[in-house]
Amino acid sequence: MRALTLEPGTAGSLRLTDLPDPTPGPGELLVEGLAVGVCGTDKEIVQAEYGWAPPGRDRLVLGHESLGRVSTAPEGSGFTPGDLVVGVVRRPDPEPCGACARDEFDNCRNGRYTERGIKELDGYGAELWCVEPAYAVAVDPALGHLGVLVEPTSVVAKAWEQVRRVGERAWFEPRRALVTGAGPIGLLAAMIGVQQGLEVHVLDRVETGPKPRLVDRLGATYHSGYVEEVASGLQPDVVIEATGVGDLVFAAMGNTAPYGVVCLTGVSQGGRRTRVDAAKVNRDMVLENDVVVGSVNANLRHYRQAAEALAAADRDWLDGLITRRVPLGSFADAFEAGPEDVKVVITLDGGR
Ligand code: BGC
């Protein structure tokens, strides 16, 4: 079978590799890969800025936003051949820490968790892959190829859950949300915000292309102005930050409504300094009981929430998020940014 592999830490090492077909371990499913989504983390791994090969090996199979069709399933696994599935990204650390012991591996404390396609476990960017049934999420057949959006949606389902849980430490009835960044994470966060009945605003730099249209079609409001102006005018109760841009993060923090919750989801590189009036940010946060919460990854509960959110969404709208589908043989094209890109997907089944 063909797989998309690279040597973490070595730029330019991404290539198609012929690997022996995998043999499922006891109880595991064998899955025919249909598609993998490409996200910022994949690009960082390709640029040798992130990622770890499995112990004792140089190369890692890339791909963590999966979609596949079950090929073989052991009896009692809860799956049957033909089922559409998504593989969960993270596995608990082997010790395990208190969080991993309670299935909250997305909040792992000792950093010894592993992640498929990212950290020490092969990913899903292969024509065949195996997965433990406990880490396989069934996808509604009606979603079809859109199931590849389950993983990024799980990340925002977690973010929204964190916002609610933080907010519910006292009276919390948020009305207005600002999402910064109209990439797939921002747009899916906006989708869930709208589903929850909030007035949603999305801020991004671009003024044309699919992003403003997608925001519009969601019934949300698109902005492309300066973050300070937009945020201070809106005074959002909730901000979902999906750019990781330092200036934006602090501007968002400084311009929420009282009791505002800012949830940070963008993994930034660091190394760029920003001038911040830290004392003012502190003063505002204290006097308004504001909270800033970071959120990464997702546990099984969030995958289920994601599958529900996608099932309730408009299929055409979701389809509009996937702006390019690149066959595995042309994988390099998927890592070249296109002007109209939102979500780029690599198809693994020859586009069948
Ligand atoms: C993935 C998460 C993962 C994070 C850090 C993201 O792109 O969606 O599941 O935890 O990268 O590795």
Side-chain angles (χ1 to χ4, degrees):
M1 65 149 188
R2 295 178 306 163
L4 193 55
T5 72
L6 50 64
E7 211 175 293
T10 306
S13 63
L14 182 67
R15 62 164 191 251
L16 272 190
T17 313
D18 270 312
L19 293 178
D21 287 0
T23 313
E28 286 186 351
L29 312 177
L30 178 67
V31 179
E32 179 202 346
L34 295 177
V36 275
V38 174
C39 82
T41 302
D42 296 306
K43 290 187 177 165
E44 279 186 19
I45 298 173
V46 168
Q47 287 156 11
E49 288 160 2
Y50 201 64
W52 297 262
R57 295 217 336 243
D58 294 333
R59 299 189 79 81
L60 169 80
V61 175
L62 191 67
H64 62 277
E65 297 186 0
S66 62
L67 177 68
R69 185 180 291 119
V70 174
S71 182
T72 65
E75 210 160 302
S77 64
F79 290 91
T80 48
D83 286 351
L84 287 182
V85 283
V86 162
V88 171
V89 175
R90 195 175 280 201
R91 297 293 178 279
D93 76 73
E95 272 182 29
C97 73
C100 286
R102 290 164 181 81
D103 291 333
E104 303 264 358
F105 47 79
D106 54 320
N107 286 309
C108 178
R109 300 294 204 278
N110 62 22
R112 294 187 58 207
Y113 63 83
T114 50
E115 288 181 338
R116 297 215 36 181
I118 302 174
K119 187 171 183 274
E120 297 165 14
L121 293 177
D122 278 336
Y124 300 110
E127 289 172 313
L128 288 170
W129 41 266
C130 297
V131 67
E132 318 86 298
Y135 292 98
V137 179
V139 174
D140 183 346
L143 267 183
H145 73 281
L146 299 170
V148 74
L149 297 172
V150 168
E151 196 279 339
T153 309
S154 74
V155 167
V156 295
K158 172 181 173 180
W160 273 110
E161 184 200 69
Q162 301 305 294
V163 167
R164 289 272 163 200
R165 290 186 172 192
V166 165
E168 279 160 10
R169 72 200 188 283
W171 172 74
F172 190 51
E173 278 175 18
R175 275 191 339 101
R176 184 176 290 163
L178 171 63
V179 176
T180 49
I185 291 292
L187 289 168
L188 289 166
M191 175 190 89
I192 293 186
V194 170
Q195 286 180 346
Q196 295 184 348
L198 276 86
E199 173 193 316
V200 177
H201 297 258
V202 180
L203 173 73
D204 197 288
R205 280 179 309 191
V206 299
E207 284 168 11
T208 55
K211 292 177 177 179
R213 280 201 303 274
L214 283 162
V215 171
D216 237 42
R217 281 184 55 196
L218 205 54
T221 309
Y222 189 82
H223 303 261
S224 59
Y226 288 105
V227 58
E228 284 83 3
E229 278 168 32
V230 173
S232 67
L234 291 172
Q235 293 285 301
D237 303 300
V238 175
V239 177
I240 307 278
E241 206 299 306
T243 70
V245 176
D247 300 331
L248 243 112
V249 168
F250 279 93
M253 280 163 57
N255 288 289
T256 64
Y259 201 73
V261 182
V262 177
C263 183
L264 307 180
T265 68
V267 186
S268 30
Q269 261 305 303
R272 248 194 90 220
R273 284 174 183 264
T274 300
R275 275 183 167 271
V276 179
D277 186 345
K280 178 172 184 303
V281 173
N282 172 74
R283 180 189 160 86
D284 286 353
M285 290 191 63
V286 170
L287 292 178
E288 296 186 348
N289 294 290
D290 293 335
V291 175
V292 178
V293 56
S295 181
V296 70
N297 194 250
N299 66 42
L300 289 163
R301 180 173 75 243
H302 306 122
Y303 277 82
R304 284 193 289 273
Q305 292 166 359
E308 278 165 30
L310 290 174
D314 180 308
R315 303 272 145 82
D316 280 345
W317 186 84
L318 293 174
D319 206 38
L321 282 187
I322 301 179
T323 41
R324 258 189 323 135
R325 306 172 69 76
V326 176
L328 182 58
S330 315
F331 67 89
D333 295 349
F335 294 88
E336 300 284 334
E340 304 261 290
D341 280 349
V342 180
K343 172 57 74 187
V344 177
V345 161
I346 300 176
T347 53
L348 302 169
D349 60 343
R352 267 178 279 142

